[in-house]
Amino acid sequence: MDTQQQSILDYYRESHIDYLMIWGTFRHLGLHYGYHDAEHRGLHAAVVNMNRQVAERLKLEPGHRLMDAGCGIGGTSIWMAENRGAQVTGVNISPDQLARAEKLVRRRNLQGQVNFVRRSYTDTGLPDASFDGIYGMESVSYAIDKRDFLREAYRLLKPGGRLVITDGFMNDSTFPEHLREDYQRWLDGWAVDNLAGVQQFQHDLTDLGFRDIRFDDACARVLPSSRRMHLAAKYTLWGGKLLEKLHIRTPVQTRNIIAAKLQYPCLIGRAWIYGIVTAVK
């Protein structure tokens, strides 16, 4: 396992308590931003609504086979099975998250619909043309070279299969240089090596053979989630630093709070854009 993968594992293992306590994953099982609209204003409803947005773009039908790339604790995999009748394979490198995901699946008696594979989503070992749809929710950003993931997704999709990515993308047309330092501290705090550029990602999709590519700027939809995260971090940062000095919390956990604080000014400053990308094989 390389250094980057170990950093990701350390981040999610040590930050799990923050996701539970601050983000409420014990309720909605999501590790992602919410999609806020008139009918889904609160965080819980908006996080679930992001699952719904992905499902609609996948054009799901009951029995469709999906791959959840970087599935976290399995929350969206479970939602797709329970609410859309999908057969879902979650792929993840984290044994801690997969153990939680498998426990959740057993509790819901979904063993026949949802299964998990401990592999990198850039090298799954799964057969060609296995899936009707593949989605990644704030996980593809963890690939150092996003083309590695896209190439594997193209191999795994059936002809006509759909790919949906919800994630952060660097503003590679008009990046605000005054936010460069905060932007990098944010990525470092969440163990992200780099974000794909908005234009570059679409170019890579085209170059690898995808068609009907669409990039939806969803910044306005995730802004309430981003602001909530920022405020929570703002009011807990000094306490977190004190607990780190007392060896109750870790440096990884402190950097997570700092990153949560910085992602908001970087978003409203357009250093990064929250995008929902759809493409067809």
Side-chain angles (χ1 to χ4, degrees):
M1 181 171 295
D2 62 31
T3 302
Q4 174 65 10
Q5 285 186 330
Q6 189 59 57
S7 296
I8 295 167
L9 293 180
D10 292 344
Y11 168 73
Y12 278 105
R13 183 182 64 253
E14 297 183 38
S15 298
H16 179 68
I17 186 64
D18 292 347
Y19 280 100
L20 281 175
M21 300 300 293
I22 305 300
W23 208 240
T25 54
F26 64 92
R27 292 184 64 205
H28 50 64
L29 308 181
L31 305 180
H32 53 265
Y33 288 79
Y35 189 97
H36 299 258
D37 56 27
E39 290 76 36
H40 307 90
R41 296 180 182 275
L43 179 66
H44 172 77
V47 169
V48 174
N49 192 32
M50 187 66 83
N51 297 337
R52 190 176 294 109
Q53 296 299 319
V54 171
E56 289 176 358
R57 288 164 171 80
L58 287 168
K59 298 188 182 299
L60 283 186
E61 296 179 8
H64 270 182
R65 292 184 54 80
L66 301 179
M67 187 180 89
D68 185 339
C71 63
I73 59 172
T76 303
S77 298
I78 289 168
W79 190 92
M80 294 290 181
E82 289 184 332
N83 293 276
R84 293 294 187 268
Q87 298 280 331
V88 189
T89 297
V91 178
N92 196 336
I93 62 171
S94 169
D96 298 319
Q97 288 188 331
L98 287 177
R100 294 186 179 100
E102 288 167 353
K103 185 175 182 179
L104 289 167
V105 165
R106 288 195 298 270
R107 283 181 181 174
R108 288 165 166 76
N109 296 315
L110 291 170
Q111 297 95 321
Q113 275 186 269
V114 182
N115 70 286
F116 300 102
V117 178
R118 186 182 172 190
R119 292 288 295 262
S120 168
Y121 54 46
T122 64
D123 181 20
T124 63
L126 298 170
D128 292 356
S130 297
F131 298 102
D132 301 288
I134 294 175
Y135 62 92
M137 301 183 73
E138 298 171 29
S139 56
V140 175
S141 50
Y142 282 98
I144 293 177
D145 187 342
K146 280 54 173 176
R147 286 177 67 97
D148 291 340
F149 165 74
L150 294 177
R151 193 176 293 110
E152 179 73 345
Y154 192 86
R155 182 184 71 81
L156 292 171
L157 281 170
K158 298 175 183 178
R162 302 179 70 84
L163 174 68
V164 178
I165 305 296
T166 67
D167 218 322
F169 295 85
M170 185 185 75
N171 183 352
D172 56 358
S173 59
T174 55
F175 188 90
E177 287 299 330
H178 69 282
L179 290 173
R180 179 73 67 181
E181 183 178 349
D182 284 350
Y183 173 83
Q184 193 57 54
R185 290 179 68 204
W186 163 50
L187 296 188
D188 291 344
W190 283 358
V192 176
D193 184 80
N194 67 87
L195 292 185
V198 172
Q199 297 179 79
Q200 184 62 49
F201 196 73
Q202 294 174 83
H203 171 79
D204 289 342
L205 284 164
T206 299
D207 192 47
L208 291 168
F210 286 95
R211 58 184 175 83
D212 297 339
I213 298 161
R214 176 174 172 176
F215 185 100
D216 291 330
D217 182 334
C219 291
R221 298 302 186 186
V222 304
L223 194 62
S225 288
S226 179
R227 186 186 300 115
R228 183 186 191 279
M229 194 185 305
H230 170 78
L231 291 174
K234 179 180 177 180
Y235 292 118
T236 59
L237 179 56
W238 291 110
K241 287 182 175 180
L242 175 61
L243 292 175
E244 182 189 341
K245 288 183 181 296
L246 296 173
H247 304 289
I248 296 172
R249 284 176 61 90
T250 69
V252 169
Q253 291 170 322
T254 299
R255 290 195 295 271
N256 179 41
I257 298 175
I258 292 170
K261 184 171 181 284
L262 292 174
Q263 53 78 39
Y264 177 66
C266 287
L267 179 66
I268 61 176
R270 301 292 284 184
W272 70 285
I273 295 166
Y274 196 99
I276 303 179
V277 181
T278 308
V280 179
K281 177 175 177 178

